[in-house]
Amino acid sequence: MTQITLAKGVNMGLRKAMEADPKVLVMGEDVGKLGGVFRVTDGLQKDFGEDRIIDTPLAESGIVGTAIGLALRGYRPVCEIQFDGFVYPAFDQIVSQLAKMRARALGKVALPVVIRIPVGGGIGAVEHHSESNEAYFAHTAGLRVVACSNPVDAYFMVQQAIASDDPVVFYEPKRRYWEKADLDESLTLEAATPLHRARVMREGNDVTIAAYGPMVKTALEAATAADEEGKSLEVVDLRSLSPLDMPTLRESVRRTGRLVVVHEAPVFLGMGAEVAARVTEECFYSLEAPVMRVGGFDTPYPPSRVEEDYLPDLDRILDAVDRSLAF
Amino acid sequence: MTQITLAKGVNMGLRKAMEADPKVLVMGEDVGKLGGVFRVTDGLQKDFGEDRIIDTPLAESGIVGTAIGLALRGYRPVCEIQFDGFVYPAFDQIVSQLAKMRARALGKVALPVVIRIPVGGGIGAVEHHSESNEAYFAHTAGLRVVACSNPVDAYFMVQQAIASDDPVVFYEPKRRYWEKADLDESLTLEAATPLHRARVMREGNDVTIAAYGPMVKTALEAATAADEEGKSLEVVDLRSLSPLDMPTLRESVRRTGRLVVVHEAPVFLGMGAEVAARVTEECFYSLEAPVMRVGGFDTPYPPSRVEEDYLPDLDRILDAVDRSLAF
Amino acid sequence: MPDAGAAQLVQLLTPEGERVEHPDFSLDIGAEELRALYRDLVLVRRVDTEATALQRQGELGIWASLLGQEAAQVGSGRAMAAQDYAFPTYREHGVAWCRGVDPLNLLGLFRGVNHGGWDPNEKNFHLYTSVIGAQTLHATGYAMGLQKDGSDGAVIAYFGDGASSQGDVNEAFTFASVFNAPVVFFCQNNQWAISEPIDKQSRIPLYQRAAGFGFPGVRVDGNDVLAVLAVTRAALQSAREGNGPTLIEAFTYRMGAHTTSDDPTRYRLNDDLESWKLKDPIERVKAHLSRNGLADQAFFETLEAESDDLAARVRKGCLDMADPGPLSIFDHVYADAHPLIDEEREQFAAYLDTFEGSEA
Amino acid sequence: MPDAGAAQLVQLLTPEGERVEHPDFSLDIGAEELRALYRDLVLVRRVDTEATALQRQGELGIWASLLGQEAAQVGSGRAMAAQDYAFPTYREHGVAWCRGVDPLNLLGLFRGVNHGGWDPNEKNFHLYTSVIGAQTLHATGYAMGLQKDGSDGAVIAYFGDGASSQGDVNEAFTFASVFNAPVVFFCQNNQWAISEPIDKQSRIPLYQRAAGFGFPGVRVDGNDVLAVLAVTRAALQSAREGNGPTLIEAFTYRMGAHTTSDDPTRYRLNDDLESWKLKDPIERVKAHLSRNGLADQAFFETLEAESDDLAARVRKGCLDMADPGPLSIFDHVYADAHPLIDEEREQFAAYLDTFEGSEA
Ligand SMILES: Cc1ncc(C[n+]2csc(CCOP(=O)(O)OP(=O)(O)O)c2C)c(N)n1
Ligand SMILES: Cc1ncc(C[n+]2csc(CCOP(=O)(O)OP(=O)(O)O)c2C)c(N)n1
Ligand SMILES: [Mg+2]
Ligand SMILES: [Mg+2]
């Protein structure tokens, strides 16, 4: 058992993948000597060289576009996008090329490219450094989208993402980079939860809370607080946003009859919309209340001095729980 | 009364706006002599000159980015994106700059930029020419997103979009460009339905169908067919996708108790998800069935020889109606 | 890669079919090779003409003609070695031909039965890319991969004059230059981007863009198959030798409409067209062959027959092309299993079954 | 705009404080103006130092220091006429100063009370843009607007060496060139993009990029306020006269960390820093003023006092800055009424009210 942070989990996962397969590359801005602005690639260039840990020109479309070319040549590039708000210059390459090329080629090419994105707010940053844009990619057919919420998942999920022959957008909750957990390094990838499976983090009977990435911790805290008030919350870490693990969600909601979805992204057309629509369709007769959505407001991410008001917190989750229970 | 096509409606609306305000500009690829690939800007350069109808270099980020600069200087640029699938190179300028600049400036600047996008399939085109990407923009705070479905709306709505001090993504259903309707040119803009209001196109009692853009016609055809089977469908043209006109939707759904949302875009995180989630929350006790969603499949838009299978049609709408009624 | 002569249009065969010398680029070429090039030019034009006809008859949804650009494509296509790799736009039918891709593969896309669908690795010819400029980055990345592999292959990235304005193309220039990638940027400046003349994209000749990124640029007569061959060979060789990228601007003219959906009478006059007809890429080779006794009547007649056969095969193959089945929509979206796709496929299959035997 | 001398770094004042001549760029400047420039340099550095200190004390979330780039910013900022317009990155505190923007306005963003929030049109100084390169297109569009208006204003677009790789910046070059827009592209090549040295962005000097787009490029000693002033004035004048864009590469060095969050010891050695210290943009002006008797002890002492006062005012203003209220989140998202925003504001206000008087 080693105690690791979430950032270290990704770092160790990358290292494992690179050791296992010489075709795995890491590319992005400042991923070399600096080890990335969050130090996620710390030490990798020293060990794997500039040929495999590639500091690129400052151009996101270029990063993803050349990664596609490298993938076509048989490499498995892992692209680091420095902050969530800087992925948009690469949008065309991601949605028109990366996502669609396999179907275009009738399956004759594979695009095993991972796009790592540190995501979300809560770190007191300036504009563009705190965004949650997973809905854009989850709406895009051809991509897989996952979000890790803890160090151990970070370690395994990044390896699974790299092993996937499909392109994966891999979200890392930046304000949880320094959260710690124990990792049993002897565990193999095969023993890990499959990449696209959700996980019940805490069992409960009254209301299901579905969250992912940075909000899982908040949801668990809310569950603890609710416990004291005698409300039993079940917390599901979605982990995979596209595809969604509907069996796990269905099973939980059919049992509790109530669902609250929580994310940092704006509510309007956020992941909560899809989860609500789908769960409602599949569990119509089990639901005692409409699915409640707790998320960021439908505004640009605000200045950091007011971000605590913007971000869903324990109280806003409990408020939604109460509204659900009031139905 | 003049009979016009939808393409002509946009053309006449642009002309009106340009006559009324010398600050209105049209810019894009091939909008000048050619009049755009759909001839929507036909004849405008001849009358307004190259200074106001601007053939730009082939670069969408450049088009939107310079339009922002022109707006900051007091102009009201209308950008034409040649096809839906070619808006992504401008994604960063749209979501990080156009959408957010007013909030960034604490309201001290206005960004009256219209992005016109011919949208959707059904015209037998090759890849990237048939996409429905409204969910990306509707999820983006700071933008307004509307879709016209008929020639008269096209004429008025494009003028309203240009008059808006906020950025507007304006969708034109390309396979309806040649649909005809009568326009009473004596009507003023003030008399027109407000831009962000939905419209009940056909009244009915059993199920509400919400559609927009190209699917409104299909929904109306479905309603006619259903009528023959004794089912009374109410068809709502959403018209505005962001913001949604919830009062109109609520009123309809509370009356019928059932809702089917139809669009060409993939279902997963498409507009239907938001409509379903929101309507379910606001009309929980009125709904006799979960909101049904009929849309494109969660795949890339397929080759044209199979697009009729991909696109929602009358039968798939009626199938959803039946599934709704079966609850 | 010589840069000196760049200010001038490289030409080795005049429109009248005369061989001329160029200080920087020379070509040692025998009669057989010349005839082979001529054959390529004739056949790719014939495929193009047939495709245009098929479109008019409703068999293709659209067609992007290469008319006038045969020399640029055959010259560059024939300059490639087997291990080289091409990343085309949507108009590189002549390059496809040189790589050995069956024209019927191209037609599938324009007919709407697929979005491409040939195996790019079979002939080292990537799928057509219609988002302007995007493929230049794929080409650069692929070239970076070749470099890492220590391969002696090189890459050609095709793009148009209009594409030179896209951010992606300029980012490709930066990546290729910084990583010294073995890639040749081959710009067919046919002087139009749909209705926009070249001066809407640049106020100076395009080959000069390269210097701004630190690599050589050359302007070649794009209607001269020999010059294109020589210049492209030199650029590929330079890439192979570790000298990094080159930009080739093949100066040519789009003789037809942008695509069959386009109507060029709305935006350009006939004059240019007339003067460019005199520079036809095929006529000059024919004149050269005939005048120098490098090909006899029999050669031309045999080729004519071969051309007719090819056209007939293309036509028949097109008409025979099966439409994809409705459930093909769900194929190949992902490599690995995907529950949403599986669910939708299953539901749609069940839905389609409800019509079985009915008329709907 | 002269292009001839471009191959050489334009310099008018040596690091030792000696005036030198340049064949293409000259500057007639009196003692008073020199002292004013010196004052600007000193004061912007002082604001910067104070802001860095405020960040260390937790009063700012982050700060992007201009240390070492004072001359590039003051020289170009002072070259602008009142009607000219600047589009900055996130580091142009010195340009802001020259435009008359209160430093406290800048601090608001870094403290996290707003994302900018000054009125760009008050001082013709646009908001800071942190998405690399995006503002170069806004600047170009604004310049196109000036052109349409028949205004005699011109625009400066600031960006860094790293930004030169972004598609947007290259698209801005194309648009500016094709439309002959009155815009000066001012690149502060401080030789680092966070941890990446300039050779990760370009293998040739950046000013040469301009030639590839058909407009002049000049490399100027970015630590020489006089040379920057002269070159920028000439470029703005050229733009005003209808000659279109110019690219200025101000060759300088980022003396500090990228931002206060950065740790440059991880990626660069001290040597470069030491040699660039000898080229300090302020010291050379001081030496020039002193050695030539253009300023006396009293001037330096007064300036020192003014500098202290400014720092104190900045510090106090920063500490006094009120946090925005929670409901401000909903302000200014749209110009016109928006039902979703209104609903969320109302619901959130009601929700906040439930805590009124409680401890939560
Ligand atoms: C990103 C993008 N924007 C717009 C288009 C629409 N479009 C297709 S071809 C074309 C013109 C291309 O001109 P050029 O690069 O010169 O190539 P050519 O067609 O002349 O071969 C345009 C604007 C597109 N395919 N992709
Ligand atoms: C599109 C985008 N990608 C990445 C970043 C993160 N980032 C902020 S500053 C910076 C380096 C910029 O370098 P340069 O352009 O040289 O300007 P400098 O900071 O040196 O002034 C990076 C990569 C960003 N802000 N925007
Ligand atoms: Mg062209
Ligand atoms: Mg820099």
Side-chain angles (χ1 to χ4, degrees):
Chain A
M1 283 289 182
T2 338
Q3 204 190 46
I4 59 165
T5 61
L6 193 152
K8 183 72 183 170
V10 183
N11 176 280
M12 289 171 66
L14 288 172
R15 180 177 288 276
K16 273 258 171 188
M18 296 194 70
E19 280 165 359
D21 182 351
K23 292 291 185 187
V24 176
L25 307 173
V26 167
M27 51 199 292
E29 296 154 9
D30 307 293
V31 296
K33 276 193 188 152
L34 184 62
V37 292
F38 291 107
R39 308 295 182 264
V40 169
T41 57
D42 190 26
L44 296 181
Q45 193 179 62
K46 210 172 115 269
D47 295 339
F48 296 102
E50 294 193 21
D51 220 45
R52 293 187 64 196
I53 306 290
I54 308 167
D55 272 336
T56 65
L58 206 176
E60 286 76 9
S61 190
I63 294 169
V64 176
T66 55
I68 290 171
L70 281 157
L72 292 172
R73 180 67 198 171
Y75 287 87
R76 305 184 86 86
V78 182
C79 303
E80 174 170 307
I81 299 293
Q82 200 158 74
F83 283 89
D84 33 60
F86 305 138
V87 71
Y88 309 125
F91 204 74
D92 182 63
Q93 286 288 349
I94 297 174
V95 310
S96 290
Q97 303 301 331
L98 189 58
K100 298 187 171 68
M101 201 177 280
R102 184 184 178 83
R104 183 179 305 149
L106 300 182
K108 282 162 193 137
V109 299
L111 278 302
V113 175
V114 176
I115 317 265
R116 290 182 40 236
I117 308 182
V119 74
I123 63 160
V126 294
E127 204 188 351
H128 311 295
H129 292 70
S130 306
E131 296 179 15
S132 295
N133 44 29
E134 60 276 9
Y136 295 137
F137 300 114
H139 180 54
T140 305
L143 300 176
R144 295 173 181 269
V145 182
V146 301
C148 59
S149 70
N150 62 73
V152 177
D153 272 1
Y155 172 74
F156 286 115
M157 288 171 75
V158 78
Q159 293 179 69
Q160 292 167 322
I162 293 170
S164 167
D165 275 340
D166 292 313
V168 179
V169 178
F170 187 84
Y171 281 106
E172 301 166 12
K174 65 172 90 81
R175 67 163 142 158
R176 308 294 182 209
Y177 268 140
W178 305 277
E179 298 282 327
K180 296 198 180 103
D182 287 328
L183 171 71
D184 178 353
E185 276 193 81
S186 69
L187 287 179
T188 65
L189 207 50
E190 289 64 46
T193 309
L195 185 59
H196 295 294
R197 199 65 60 74
R199 189 191 292 127
V200 177
M201 303 293 279
R202 177 191 174 115
E203 295 183 3
N205 306 314
D206 298 336
V207 181
T208 302
I209 314 287
Y212 53 91
M215 283 291 112
V216 173
K217 181 165 192 262
T218 313
L220 287 168
E221 286 164 2
T224 305
D227 210 28
E228 287 165 23
E229 300 175 22
K231 295 166 202 158
S232 161
L233 307 190
E234 173 144 317
V235 177
V236 177
D237 181 353
L238 292 177
R239 297 173 81 251
S240 176
L241 309 182
S242 173
L244 280 171
D245 176 3
M246 287 305 297
T248 301
L249 261 177
R250 262 197 313 260
E251 192 285 319
S252 178
V253 174
R254 289 206 175 130
R255 203 157 23 73
T256 62
R258 300 174 198 273
L259 174 63
V260 174
V261 194
V262 188
H263 52 61
E264 293 190 9
V267 164
F268 196 90
L269 271 167
M271 281 306 303
E274 184 60 37
V275 171
R278 205 161 279 269
V279 166
T280 305
E281 190 172 342
E282 301 189 11
C283 312
F284 191 64
Y285 290 123
S286 317
L287 280 173
E288 318 258 356
V291 177
M292 296 291 163
R293 297 182 286 165
V294 182
F297 299 111
D298 289 293
T299 69
Y301 196 90
S304 62
R305 291 259 166 173
V306 73
E307 70 179 334
E308 294 305 335
D309 286 296
Y310 178 87
L311 292 168
D313 60 5
L314 191 148
D315 287 320
R316 278 175 60 203
I317 294 175
L318 293 178
D319 175 65
V321 165
D322 289 345
R323 281 187 288 122
S324 175
L325 288 168
F327 261 82
Chain B
M1 284 290 182
T2 338
Q3 205 190 45
I4 59 166
T5 61
L6 193 153
K8 183 72 183 170
V10 182
N11 177 280
M12 290 171 66
L14 288 171
R15 181 176 287 277
K16 273 259 171 188
M18 296 196 70
E19 280 165 359
D21 182 350
K23 292 291 184 187
V24 176
L25 308 173
V26 167
M27 51 199 292
E29 296 155 9
D30 307 291
V31 295
K33 277 193 188 152
L34 183 62
V37 293
F38 290 106
R39 309 294 183 264
V40 168
T41 57
D42 189 27
L44 296 180
Q45 193 179 64
K46 209 172 116 267
D47 295 340
F48 296 102
E50 294 193 21
D51 221 43
R52 293 186 65 196
I53 307 288
I54 308 167
D55 272 336
T56 65
L58 207 175
E60 287 75 10
S61 190
I63 293 169
V64 176
T66 55
I68 290 171
L70 281 157
L72 292 171
R73 180 66 198 171
Y75 286 87
R76 305 185 86 86
V78 182
C79 303
E80 174 171 308
I81 299 293
Q82 200 158 74
F83 282 89
D84 32 59
F86 305 139
V87 70
Y88 309 123
F91 204 74
D92 182 61
Q93 285 289 348
I94 296 174
V95 311
S96 289
Q97 303 302 330
L98 189 59
K100 298 187 172 67
M101 201 177 280
R102 183 183 178 83
R104 184 180 306 149
L106 300 181
K108 279 161 195 139
V109 299
L111 277 302
V113 175
V114 176
I115 316 266
R116 290 182 39 237
I117 307 182
V119 74
I123 62 160
V126 295
E127 204 187 352
H128 310 295
H129 293 70
S130 306
E131 296 180 14
S132 295
N133 44 28
E134 61 276 8
Y136 295 138
F137 300 114
H139 180 54
T140 306
L143 300 176
R144 295 173 181 269
V145 182
V146 301
C148 60
S149 69
N150 63 72
V152 177
D153 271 2
Y155 171 75
F156 286 116
M157 288 171 75
V158 77
Q159 293 179 68
Q160 292 167 322
I162 294 170
S164 166
D165 275 341
D166 292 313
V168 179
V169 178
F170 187 85
Y171 281 106
E172 302 165 11
K174 64 171 89 81
R175 67 164 141 157
R176 308 295 182 211
Y177 267 139
W178 304 277
E179 298 282 326
K180 295 199 181 104
D182 286 329
L183 172 70
D184 178 353
E185 276 193 80
S186 69
L187 286 178
T188 65
L189 207 51
E190 289 65 44
T193 309
L195 185 59
H196 295 295
R197 199 65 60 74
R199 189 192 291 126
V200 177
M201 303 293 280
R202 177 190 174 114
E203 294 183 3
N205 306 313
D206 297 337
V207 180
T208 302
I209 314 287
Y212 54 90
M215 282 291 112
V216 173
K217 182 167 191 261
T218 313
L220 287 168
E221 287 164 2
T224 304
D227 210 27
E228 288 165 22
E229 302 175 22
K231 295 167 202 157
S232 162
L233 307 190
E234 173 144 318
V235 177
V236 178
D237 181 354
L238 292 177
R239 297 172 84 251
S240 177
L241 309 182
S242 173
L244 281 170
D245 176 2
M246 287 306 296
T248 301
L249 262 178
R250 263 198 313 259
E251 192 285 318
S252 178
V253 174
R254 289 208 175 127
R255 202 156 25 73
T256 62
R258 300 176 197 273
L259 175 63
V260 174
V261 194
V262 188
H263 52 61
E264 293 191 8
V267 165
F268 196 89
L269 271 167
M271 282 305 304
E274 183 60 37
V275 171
R278 206 161 278 268
V279 165
T280 305
E281 190 172 343
E282 299 188 12
C283 311
F284 191 63
Y285 289 122
S286 317
L287 280 173
E288 317 258 356
V291 177
M292 297 289 164
R293 297 182 285 165
V294 182
F297 299 111
D298 289 293
T299 68
Y301 196 90
S304 62
R305 291 258 165 175
V306 73
E307 71 180 332
E308 294 304 335
D309 287 296
Y310 179 86
L311 292 168
D313 60 5
L314 192 148
D315 287 320
R316 277 175 60 203
I317 295 176
L318 293 178
D319 175 64
V321 165
D322 289 345
R323 281 188 287 122
S324 175
L325 287 168
F327 262 83
Chain C
M1 185 68 200
D3 199 16
Q8 251 183 300
L9 192 73
V10 179
Q11 194 179 70
L12 298 181
L13 187 68
T14 68
E16 296 74 33
E18 272 169 61
R19 277 297 301 263
V20 288
E21 294 299 316
H22 189 278
D24 297 314
F25 299 93
S26 62
L27 189 71
D28 213 4
I29 190 167
E32 195 174 337
E33 219 186 320
L34 276 171
R35 282 194 302 271
L37 288 173
Y38 181 75
R39 175 175 169 273
D40 289 336
L41 293 169
V42 167
L43 295 182
V44 303
R45 179 171 292 180
R46 185 55 173 264
V47 169
D48 190 78
T49 312
E50 194 59 35
T52 300
L54 283 164
Q55 194 283 332
R56 292 237 172 80
Q57 292 150 22
E59 296 297 333
L60 300 180
I62 194 172
W63 179 250
S65 165
L66 60 47
L67 200 69
Q69 301 177 215
E70 295 86 353
Q73 297 194 12
V74 168
S76 58
R78 287 300 175 199
M80 296 176 77
Q83 74 274 24
D84 296 339
Y85 212 105
F87 284 79
T89 71
Y90 41 82
R91 205 188 286 286
E92 268 67 75
H93 323 312
V95 183
W97 171 262
C98 297
R99 298 307 286 169
V101 175
D102 191 313
L104 283 172
N105 272 327
L106 311 178
L107 261 56
L109 186 164
F110 293 95
R111 187 173 167 87
V113 306
N114 58 45
H115 291 318
W118 59 91
D119 182 348
N121 293 322
E122 207 173 287
K123 311 286 186 185
N124 283 6
F125 184 77
H126 190 64
L127 297 177
Y128 277 5
T129 295
S130 28
V131 176
I132 299 294
Q135 76 284 358
T136 58
L137 282 167
H138 310 156
T140 302
Y142 195 95
M144 288 162 64
L146 287 176
Q147 195 179 37
K148 282 181 203 307
D149 294 343
S151 154
D152 71 339
V155 176
I156 302 193
Y158 287 90
F159 63 105
D161 44 303
S164 70
S165 298
Q166 280 288 1
D168 270 11
V169 173
N170 293 282
E171 293 190 9
F173 291 166
T174 290
F175 276 68
S177 170
V178 163
F179 293 114
N180 203 42
V183 55
V184 174
F185 294 107
F186 194 93
C187 177
Q188 285 169 79
N189 177 0
N190 63 10
Q191 301 184 60
W192 294 92
I194 310 187
S195 75
E196 298 193 11
I198 175 67
D199 64 8
K200 291 281 168 219
Q201 317 293 342
S202 181
R203 65 187 198 189
I204 57 166
L206 283 175
Y207 75 88
Q208 295 180 15
R209 179 74 55 84
F213 289 86
F215 56 90
V218 188
R219 182 181 262 200
V220 62
D221 180 346
N223 286 16
D224 172 355
V225 69
L226 301 186
V228 174
L229 180 65
V231 167
T232 312
R233 257 190 203 155
L236 285 167
Q237 188 55 26
S238 172
R240 246 183 269 291
E241 287 168 1
N243 301 317
T246 298
L247 169 62
I248 297 175
E249 178 192 0
F251 195 71
T252 179
Y253 197 83
R254 198 192 75 208
M255 295 302 286
H258 169 68
T259 64
T260 46
S261 307
D262 181 35
D263 174 11
T265 63
R266 295 178 69 97
Y267 56 80
R268 70 182 188 184
L269 300 170
N270 245 339
D271 297 10
D272 269 5
L273 211 61
E274 289 307 318
S275 83
W276 277 91
K277 264 189 194 148
L278 305 175
K279 300 179 190 159
D280 187 74
I282 301 190
E283 285 310 312
R284 67 175 80 181
V285 183
K286 185 171 194 181
H288 181 69
L289 288 175
S290 306
R291 219 175 289 160
N292 298 287
L294 300 170
D296 56 14
Q297 198 50 33
F299 168 77
F300 292 112
E301 277 164 17
T302 313
L303 181 54
E304 182 74 21
E306 184 182 6
S307 183
D308 289 343
D309 289 350
L310 177 60
R313 182 172 78 78
V314 163
R315 161 165 299 266
K316 177 154 189 326
C318 180
L319 300 181
D320 287 351
M321 237 175 249
D323 280 353
L327 295 180
S328 70
I329 292 172
F330 303 98
D331 294 344
H332 309 304
V333 179
Y334 295 96
D336 300 326
H338 192 283
L340 182 59
I341 295 282
D342 294 344
E343 180 188 311
E344 290 186 354
R345 184 195 288 109
E346 210 171 290
Q347 286 175 356
F348 192 50
Y351 166 82
L352 289 174
D353 280 347
T354 64
F355 295 99
E356 205 67 8
S358 91
E359 273 192 275
Chain D
M1 184 68 199
D3 199 18
Q8 250 183 303
L9 192 73
V10 179
Q11 193 180 70
L12 297 180
L13 187 68
T14 69
E16 297 74 32
E18 271 169 65
R19 278 297 302 262
V20 288
E21 293 300 314
H22 189 278
D24 297 314
F25 299 94
S26 63
L27 190 72
D28 214 6
I29 189 166
E32 195 174 338
E33 221 186 317
L34 276 171
R35 283 194 301 269
L37 287 172
Y38 181 74
R39 175 176 169 271
D40 289 335
L41 293 169
V42 167
L43 295 183
V44 304
R45 180 171 290 180
R46 185 56 173 266
V47 169
D48 190 78
T49 313
E50 194 60 34
T52 300
L54 283 164
Q55 195 282 334
R56 294 237 171 80
Q57 292 149 22
E59 296 298 334
L60 300 180
I62 193 172
W63 179 250
S65 165
L66 59 47
L67 200 69
Q69 300 177 216
E70 296 87 352
Q73 298 195 12
V74 167
S76 58
R78 287 300 175 198
M80 295 176 78
Q83 75 274 23
D84 296 339
Y85 212 106
F87 285 79
T89 70
Y90 41 81
R91 205 188 286 286
E92 268 67 75
H93 323 313
V95 182
W97 171 264
C98 296
R99 298 306 288 169
V101 175
D102 191 313
L104 283 171
N105 272 327
L106 311 178
L107 261 55
L109 186 163
F110 293 96
R111 188 173 168 87
V113 306
N114 57 44
H115 291 318
W118 58 92
D119 182 348
N121 293 322
E122 207 173 283
K123 311 287 186 185
N124 282 7
F125 185 77
H126 190 64
L127 298 177
Y128 277 6
T129 296
S130 27
V131 177
I132 298 295
Q135 76 284 357
T136 58
L137 281 166
H138 311 156
T140 302
Y142 195 94
M144 288 162 63
L146 288 175
Q147 195 179 37
K148 283 181 203 306
D149 294 343
S151 154
D152 72 338
V155 176
I156 303 193
Y158 288 91
F159 62 105
D161 43 300
S164 69
S165 298
Q166 279 288 1
D168 271 11
V169 173
N170 293 282
E171 293 190 10
F173 291 167
T174 289
F175 275 68
S177 171
V178 163
F179 293 114
N180 204 40
V183 54
V184 174
F185 294 106
F186 194 94
C187 176
Q188 285 169 80
N189 177 0
N190 64 11
Q191 301 184 60
W192 294 92
I194 309 186
S195 74
E196 298 193 10
I198 175 66
D199 64 9
K200 289 281 168 219
Q201 317 292 341
S202 182
R203 65 186 197 188
I204 57 167
L206 284 176
Y207 75 90
Q208 296 180 14
R209 179 75 54 84
F213 290 86
F215 55 91
V218 188
R219 181 180 262 200
V220 62
D221 180 346
N223 286 16
D224 172 354
V225 71
L226 301 186
V228 174
L229 179 65
V231 167
T232 312
R233 258 193 203 152
L236 285 167
Q237 189 55 27
S238 172
R240 245 183 271 291
E241 287 168 3
N243 301 318
T246 298
L247 169 62
I248 298 174
E249 177 192 0
F251 195 72
T252 179
Y253 198 83
R254 198 193 75 208
M255 296 301 286
H258 169 69
T259 64
T260 46
S261 306
D262 180 37
D263 174 11
T265 63
R266 295 178 70 98
Y267 55 81
R268 69 183 189 184
L269 300 169
N270 244 339
D271 297 10
D272 269 4
L273 211 61
E274 289 307 319
S275 84
W276 277 91
K277 263 190 194 146
L278 304 175
K279 300 179 190 159
D280 187 71
I282 302 191
E283 284 309 313
R284 68 175 79 181
V285 183
K286 186 171 193 180
H288 181 70
L289 288 174
S290 304
R291 220 176 288 159
N292 297 289
L294 300 169
D296 56 15
Q297 196 51 30
F299 167 77
F300 292 111
E301 277 164 16
T302 312
L303 180 55
E304 182 74 22
E306 184 183 4
S307 182
D308 288 344
D309 288 351
L310 177 61
R313 181 172 79 77
V314 164
R315 161 165 299 267
K316 179 156 188 325
C318 179
L319 300 182
D320 287 351
M321 237 174 249
D323 280 352
L327 296 181
S328 69
I329 291 172
F330 303 98
D331 294 344
H332 309 303
V333 179
Y334 295 96
D336 300 327
H338 193 283
L340 182 58
I341 295 282
D342 293 345
E343 180 187 310
E344 290 187 352
R345 184 195 287 109
E346 208 170 290
Q347 286 175 354
F348 192 50
Y351 167 81
L352 290 173
D353 279 348
T354 63
F355 296 99
E356 205 67 7
S358 91
E359 273 193 275

